[in-house]
């Protein structure tokens, strides 16, 4: 059976955390490890997480919840900590405020991971994302959607798969930690590097063909939009070259004027 490590990063997240935890608790899928990596919150975040752990344990649903709260260097430092603790076949990051859309979400992901005898598990499983507000109300489908055939080159045109809908094989993810020199766009760089490694190993990237994440609109990237765009340019330049990145951004600018 496929196993999943769900990593939730928190810091003073008491206002948005509970729906995230509830969405993991309601998963019908049994083989789930939920790692809550907290940055030494000073509000009720840890208490909420501990109450959730007790509820999950009492449900005897097969889920294993682990909580670690200590100071860290920021979001991507915490994500690296979660990566190193993950033991599932696949790891996915579901941060405070984000959530699984339905009880059968992980069942659908596991189904997409199925392979025949002698075949290796796909390097990445990826799906679609809906955008929600802080109360969980549906706002829209994510503007960028994953192509049927995804490669690391696909991200030249933007982050076509939302980070929360990107399931990386844990053995690959562990050797490719997030680059903490980026403050807002290390997730883009990480996804590209994971896909590159998958191609190097001749592994599949498989489309789940389902909405697998509800993404809360007001994240760090939204709040720091200008800085995020600057970092994304550096990520694109790193992976696709300066000339190609400049040409693409010129096209993006022209397209926005035409619209």
């Amino acid at each position: 059976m496929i196993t999943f490590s769900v990593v939730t990063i928190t810091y003073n997240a008491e206002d948005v955390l509970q729906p995230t935890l509830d969405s993991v608790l309601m998963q019908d899928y049994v083989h789930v490890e939920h790692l809550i990596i907290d940055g030494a919150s000073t509000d009720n975040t840890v208490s909420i997480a501990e109450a959730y752990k007790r509820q999950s344990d009492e449900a005897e649903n097969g889920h294993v919840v682990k909580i670690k709260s200590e100071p860290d260097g920021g979001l991507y430092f915490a994500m690296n900590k979660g990566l190193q603790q993950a033991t599932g076949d696949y790891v996915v990051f579901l941060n405070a405020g984000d959530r699984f859309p339905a009880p059968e979400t992980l069942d659908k992901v596991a189904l997409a991971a199925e392979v025949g005898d002698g075949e290796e598990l796909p390097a990445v499983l990826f799906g679609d994302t809906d955008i929600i507000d802080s109360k969980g109300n549906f706002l829209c489908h994510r503007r960028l959607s994953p192509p049927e055939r995804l490669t690391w080159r696909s991200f030249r045109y933007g982050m076509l798969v939302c980070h929360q809908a990107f399931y990386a094989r844990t053995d690959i993810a562990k050797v490719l930690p997030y680059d903490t020199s980026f403050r807002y766009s290390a997730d883009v760089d990480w996804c590209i590097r994971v896909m590159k490694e998958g191609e190097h190993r001749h592994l599949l990237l498989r489309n789940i063909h389902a909405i697998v994440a509800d993404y809360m609109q007001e994240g760090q990237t939204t709040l720091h939009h200008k800085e995020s765009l600057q970092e994304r340019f550096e990520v694109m330049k790193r992976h696709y070259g300066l000339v190609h990145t400049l040409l693409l951004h010129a096209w993006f600018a022209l397209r926005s004027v035409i619209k």
Side-chain angles (χ1 to χ4, degrees):
M1 292 289 291
I2 299 297
T3 57
F4 294 106
S5 291
V6 179
V7 182
T8 298
I9 307 301
T10 61
Y11 180 69
N12 289 347
E14 64 179 5
D15 293 337
V16 296
L17 179 58
Q18 192 63 57
T20 303
L21 304 180
D22 290 343
S23 80
V24 180
L25 183 65
M26 75 177 181
Q27 290 305 300
D28 298 328
Y29 199 76
V30 173
H31 305 285
V32 179
E33 171 186 66
H34 192 185
L35 304 174
I36 301 170
I37 310 297
D38 180 73
S41 290
T42 56
D43 63 1
N44 292 318
T45 296
V46 175
S47 297
I48 293 169
E50 289 172 342
Y52 156 71
K53 174 176 167 52
R54 291 192 294 272
Q55 185 181 5
S56 183
D57 291 346
E58 291 168 2
E60 297 182 350
N61 54 9
H63 297 186
V64 176
V65 179
K66 300 176 183 178
I67 304 167
K68 191 172 188 66
S69 181
E70 61 186 16
D72 56 47
L75 177 62
Y76 296 119
F77 290 89
M79 287 182 169
N80 282 337
K81 194 182 301 181
L83 274 184
Q84 293 312 309
Q85 293 183 31
T87 64
D89 295 312
Y90 287 94
V91 60
V92 64
F93 288 86
L94 193 72
N95 291 335
D98 305 323
R99 58 201 78 175
F100 293 126
E104 65 275 9
T105 297
L106 288 180
D107 288 291
K108 293 178 180 178
V109 181
L111 187 63
E114 289 186 356
V115 293
D117 292 340
E119 290 184 308
E120 285 202 65
L121 290 174
V124 174
L125 308 168
F126 61 95
D128 291 278
T129 306
D130 281 344
I131 307 299
I132 59 173
D133 64 17
S134 59
K135 296 181 179 179
N137 298 313
F138 171 82
L139 295 176
C140 60
H141 297 299
R142 189 169 183 262
R143 182 179 64 84
L144 296 177
S145 58
E148 179 59 34
R149 183 176 179 274
L150 182 72
T151 77
W152 66 268
R153 298 168 186 84
S154 303
F155 275 32
R156 288 178 297 180
Y157 306 103
M159 195 173 185
L160 300 185
V161 179
C162 183
H163 191 218
Q164 289 80 349
F166 188 95
Y167 289 71
R169 240 177 62 172
T170 305
D171 61 334
I172 295 175
K174 278 180 176 286
V175 299
L176 297 171
Y178 289 85
D179 184 343
T180 54
S181 67
F182 295 117
R183 294 186 62 194
Y184 308 110
S185 297
D187 51 346
V188 185
D189 171 70
W190 179 75
C191 288
I192 294 171
R193 288 188 289 118
V194 168
M195 291 187 288
K196 277 186 173 181
E197 181 61 22
E199 180 178 292
H200 177 71
R201 299 190 190 191
H202 306 290
L203 298 173
L204 294 174
L205 310 179
R206 185 171 288 169
N207 196 324
I208 302 164
H209 296 117
I211 296 168
V212 295
D214 285 343
Y215 172 69
M216 195 171 73
Q217 188 176 42
E218 291 299 326
Q220 286 297 306
T221 301
T222 307
L223 296 173
H224 301 274
H225 185 63
K226 182 178 179 181
E227 297 94 330
S228 175
L229 288 177
Q230 290 172 339
E231 283 196 355
R232 288 197 179 201
F233 183 89
E234 292 303 316
V235 170
M236 297 299 109
K237 185 174 70 172
R238 171 183 292 186
H239 292 287
Y240 307 119
L242 176 60
V243 173
H244 192 83
T245 301
L246 285 171
L247 289 173
L248 275 175
H249 278 72
W251 163 241
F252 294 154
L254 178 60
R255 188 175 61 183
S256 66
V257 170
I258 294 173
K259 285 183 178 181

